[in-house]
Amino acid sequence: MPRLAANIAYLFTERPLIERFGAAAAMGFKAVELQFPYDHASPAIKAELTKHRLTQLGVNTPPGTGKPD
């Protein structure tokens, strides 16, 4: 049986982002993808993952300038 992750950037869009973790868990997903979680504090994201026993997959980082700091 394939294992799938819910990409909550695109699924459950009728809900606020922070509520999509619970929606994914309620549908039976064990993992979620969220490429751009930067509008929410990381402790809030972590709390939702823990609350719903989800694994976070696929986090993108902000693009760099291509120049060393």
Side-chain angles (χ1 to χ4, degrees):
M1 175 149 210
R3 296 185 304 177
L4 304 172
N7 187 322
I8 59 174
Y10 300 105
L11 295 173
F12 315 111
T13 57
E14 69 281 1
R15 300 169 185 255
L17 179 64
I18 209 72
E19 293 178 10
R20 296 178 197 176
F21 294 93
M27 295 295 294
F29 287 100
K30 302 294 183 203
V32 295
E33 295 180 2
L34 179 58
Q35 287 78 14
F36 301 101
Y38 310 115
D39 290 340
H40 294 80
S42 57
I45 299 291
K46 175 64 175 166
E48 289 299 305
L49 292 168
T50 300
K51 177 181 176 181
H52 299 290
R53 296 180 169 183
L54 293 168
T55 299
Q56 170 77 43
L57 304 174
V59 175
N60 291 347
T61 57
T65 63
K67 300 176 185 174
D69 290 334

